Amino acid sequence: MDDLQTLRQQLGDRLVTEPGRVAQHAHDSSRAEPAGTPLALVEASSTADVAAALAWAHAHAVPVSVRGAGTGLAGGANAYDGGLIVSLAGMNQILSIDQNERVAVVQPGVITAELDAAARLEGLFYPPDPASARSCTIGGNIATNAGGLRCVAHGVTRDAVAALEVVLADGRVLRTGSRTRKNVVGYDLTSLMVGSEGTLGIVTEATVRLKPVPLGTPCSFRASFDDLDSAGRAVTAIVGGAATPEVLELMDAASVEIIESFQPSGLTVPRGAMLVGQTVGVTAAAQAAAIAETCVAHGATETEVSDSDALIEARRLSNPALTARGLKISCDVGVPVARLAEIFHGITEISRTHDRLVSTVAHAGDGNLHSTVDCADDDIAAADAVLDDITRLALALGGTITGEHGVGSVKLHELPWQLDEVSRATQAAIKQALDPRGILTPGRGI
């Protein structure tokens, strides 16, 4: 495109057209394939770069995909044929940490775990904790309203975002929210942007809330169950009980076996499922012991309480372990915590009906499940049918088609299963108002 030269004059070597470098940024970690050959890549280093790229794309009606670390699992960051890729990976600075106000100001390319580590040097921590925290970025977390292991105690990304700087589709810069604890001025545009999957604007700076590191030594716990139903009932009892875990994760037997094969740690594979978690604070050990007792009361055959992080680290290995095993067809659904036993029972029946191995791990404390189906590369459609059945089951139990990975392109066909016509029309009207030419992540998310 001849007019690309105009953008090059503004961006210089930050506008990349070399096919190999462009291709490296053309896809995320999902099974969705990039749609054709993108026009160019913008390796943004500032808000001004992003604004220039979007103003140009808006003027020329060029579709834009937004990419951070490429860890997304819903196809939301994949490139478009003839489109522009905006990479935020280079905008990776922690601009400030305010110990008094307990906030940090960061660019979108900051790795989530690196922000947490920097905050801990100040006696604080960043609450959202996706399993991929060591590789995913704050910008990607904001785009999908990511959750993670600590959601049961601290909520999701939206709960930690105080203010945003966002470049709109036409290149204008919008600032939302404030550093104050209370703010009811105008519409809540911050919450609107969080979870919008790059369809309404590109986040170039975020002010996020931090919390004090709890006193005392964290304590981990494990409980093994002969069946998933019992494990689900134990989770419901824990969440409704007096002890408050910071982490509460569930892995079925297939997942534990895959993780243990990937990186042996001495875990005994249960017959049904393994519940792992962590408590914090000065009463952490007592809380962990109480949770272990609750598990025994609901059928646990073996329990363990420890001050080691090994059990939590094992849970973090689920995604790389599944990938190494060749299991890549996965879904992300959520149900009310009280329905966990029912959905685990239903997943077992779906697995039998389709004669497919289904491996499930869950952020059990908030009812968010990730099921992965075994299949060959030429059999993805059959595996997707299994996941569709799991999604329909989640909806029948009062749940949602996605808890934290987002809709992207992978789940777009499921959107009408959850949202009625009025809801979809309202979202389309918001999209039209903020992106009238439809250039930002078109055909995904909504």
Side-chain angles (χ1 to χ4, degrees), residues 272-284:
M274 180 179 292
L275 187 65
V276 299
Q278 191 168 63
T279 52
V280 296
V282 294
T283 62

Side-chain angles (χ1 to χ4, degrees), residues 4-380:
L4 197 61
Q5 187 60 33
T6 304
L7 186 57
R8 187 177 299 281
Q9 290 172 357
Q10 295 177 277
L11 299 178
D13 60 7
R14 296 186 298 284
L15 182 67
V16 178
T17 55
E18 193 277 311
R21 286 176 62 190
V22 173
Q24 292 174 8
H25 295 78
H27 55 85
D28 59 15
S29 297
S30 73
R31 61 188 181 276
E33 295 295 331
T37 303
L39 180 66
L41 161 70
V42 174
E43 294 182 325
S45 63
S46 67
T47 299
D49 288 348
V50 177
L54 292 194
W56 180 89
H58 176 79
H60 296 87
V62 171
V64 175
S65 57
V66 190
R67 193 180 188 278
T71 60
L73 296 171
N78 282 5
Y80 295 91
D81 189 35
L84 194 66
I85 304 169
V86 176
S87 171
L88 304 172
M91 297 179 65
N92 57 5
Q93 299 300 304
I94 299 174
L95 301 177
S96 67
I97 294 178
D98 188 324
Q99 193 175 31
N100 293 323
E101 294 291 341
R102 297 179 182 171
V103 297
V105 181
V106 300
Q107 292 183 314
V110 170
I111 300 297
T112 306
E114 293 179 4
L115 170 59
D116 188 53
R120 287 178 186 273
L121 295 176
E122 305 294 332
L124 304 169
F125 74 102
Y126 178 62
D129 184 33
S132 58
R134 294 188 181 97
S135 56
C136 64
T137 63
I138 296 296
N141 295 170
I142 291 171
T144 60
N145 191 26
L149 277 66
R150 293 196 289 249
C151 287
V152 63
H154 302 290
V156 294
T157 296
R158 179 177 284 115
D159 299 304
V161 177
L164 294 172
E165 177 184 82
V166 182
V167 180
L168 299 177
D170 60 4
R172 291 178 298 158
V173 178
L174 168 70
R175 291 176 177 82
T176 76
S178 73
R179 296 165 71 100
T180 59
R181 286 287 168 177
K182 293 180 178 179
N183 175 23
V184 293
V185 179
Y187 295 132
D188 187 355
L189 298 180
T190 305
S191 292
L192 177 63
M193 291 296 169
V194 178
S196 62
E197 300 189 40
T199 62
L200 300 179
I202 298 179
V203 173
T204 52
E205 184 179 287
T207 301
V208 297
R209 300 201 185 280
L210 308 173
K211 290 185 176 182
V213 174
L215 299 175
T217 301
C219 194
S220 299
F221 57 86
R222 171 184 65 84
S224 296
F225 296 84
D226 283 346
D227 60 88
L228 282 162
D229 288 9
S230 296
R233 286 190 289 271
V235 169
T236 301
I238 292 166
V239 172
T244 306
E246 186 177 57
V247 175
L248 188 60
E249 300 288 304
L250 188 61
M251 302 176 286
D252 66 9
S255 299
V256 176
E257 185 277 321
I258 290 169
I259 292 169
E260 187 64 13
S261 297
F262 177 72
Q263 186 168 309
S265 62
L267 286 178
T268 300
V269 178
R271 291 182 60 186
M274 180 179 292
L275 187 65
V276 299
Q278 191 168 63
T279 52
V280 296
V282 294
T283 62
Q287 290 189 76
I291 290 172
E293 290 177 5
T294 298
C295 291
V296 171
H298 287 80
T301 57
E302 183 184 5
T303 62
E304 174 188 357
V305 175
S306 169
D307 59 4
S308 168
D309 285 338
L311 296 172
I312 306 304
E313 290 306 307
R315 165 61 181 88
R316 291 188 188 280
L317 288 172
S318 61
N319 283 343
L322 290 166
T323 300
R325 184 67 70 90
L327 296 170
K328 62 182 181 180
I329 311 302
S330 63
C331 73
D332 154 49
V333 298
V335 296
V337 175
R339 312 301 292 271
L340 273 174
E342 292 173 76
I343 193 167
F344 276 117
H345 179 78
I347 289 172
T348 300
E349 292 303 311
I350 289 170
S351 174
R352 289 172 181 163
T353 299
H354 288 268
D355 193 23
R356 295 272 174 171
L357 172 65
V358 179
S359 166
T360 300
V361 296
H363 304 307
D366 56 36
N368 186 197
L369 301 93
H370 307 299
S371 293
T372 305
V373 182
D374 186 19
C375 82
D377 288 341
D378 60 354
D379 204 16
I380 291 176

